[in-house]
Amino acid sequence: MKKIIVAPLNWGLGHATRCIPIIQGLLDNGFEPVIASDGVALELLKKEFPKLISFELPSYDIQYAVKGKNFKWKMIAQLPKIISTIKKERNKINKILEAYNFDGIISDNRLGVYSKDVPSVFITHQLNVLTGNTSWFTTKLHKKYIQKFNECWVPDVENGQNLSGKLGHPTELIGNVKYIGPLSRLCKKPMPIKYDLMVLLSGPEPQRTILEQKIIAELEKYTKKVVFIKGIIEKSQTKIEKGNVTYFNFMNSIELETTFNESNHILCRSGYTTVMDLAKLNKKAFFIPTPGQYEQEYLAKKFDREGIIPTCKQEKFTIQKLDKIAFYKGFTNYSKKITWKELFDLF
């Protein structure tokens, strides 16, 4: 049985959650996946796949700015630490490969997790890395790393109506790119609506907490039934009911799938993994992009402009803005079946 390392970046929960269908695909096709990550991403995947072997990789420990206008400069200030971590995870992976026999690597945005000795895949939806007037530089740097891998899998469709827009569809395509179709661990199921609103949070601090506090304050004016998932991965799940709102610290994939299907509307960030989940479930939503994060701001504006999902800036959000959802069409017809067997032929 061939062993494949699956290594998502620990940056919010999106990279880890979109690796869940990949890990399941490997299991279904006779491979032995091994998890490699750190922090909440590693904890999440260990909860989803408790029987799998896992390794801890060095942490990037990315910190977001409190104010969105400082986002880029905070990231630039952390570049030396990021580059140092890439080198550390490269060394760690080499040591793991020396100690154990592996047949392949699948890295979701971990730039140092590849090897010249085994087939290595990089997963990203950002072939263009948007950072304002420095986008040309960050895109060029990203491309340099992507070309170190045998293949780059973009979780989107290549042609026609797509989800990633200019993020995943550059004017000049990198030679090792494959469009594999959107990745989601969730399935659409016919269920009676239990909640009028589902609030789904994730992402690095302090912005996750800032948004949590703002939404909780706004929900005091909201009388309909709400389920609120904070996106905090802890040892055990907690459930607290306060009036019309039910709070969970986190949910596993099965619970999350059920709750999505039982909810009428979704209030969430515009991260790409969430976008893919909403598209798979044909859901209506409202987006609040992480302040200063160009990727999320771009996606939120794209879907607002296309009449699919409304959006507003975090500081301008009020609960009344959810009324705009009724005038948008939501996601439809974005499904594409992923041919796992063909993808895994690389290994």
Side-chain angles (χ1 to χ4, degrees), residues 168-216:
H169 298 81
T171 50
E172 291 183 20
L173 201 59
I174 304 169
N176 61 348
V177 166
K178 275 187 179 180
Y179 290 90
I180 66 172
L183 284 168
S184 176
R185 56 180 166 158
L186 309 177
C187 291
K188 183 175 175 62
K189 293 179 180 177
M191 290 184 177
I193 296 299
K194 186 176 175 182
Y195 304 102
D196 294 285
L197 180 67
M198 172 183 177
V199 180
L200 181 64
L201 299 186
S202 69
E205 299 292 1
Q207 289 298 338
R208 193 211 61 81
T209 296
I210 292 170
L211 182 57
E212 177 188 323
Q213 291 170 346
K214 183 168 187 63
I215 293 174
I216 287 174

Side-chain angles (χ1 to χ4, degrees), residues 41 46 243 337:
K46 283 165 71 174
K337 188 163 182 168

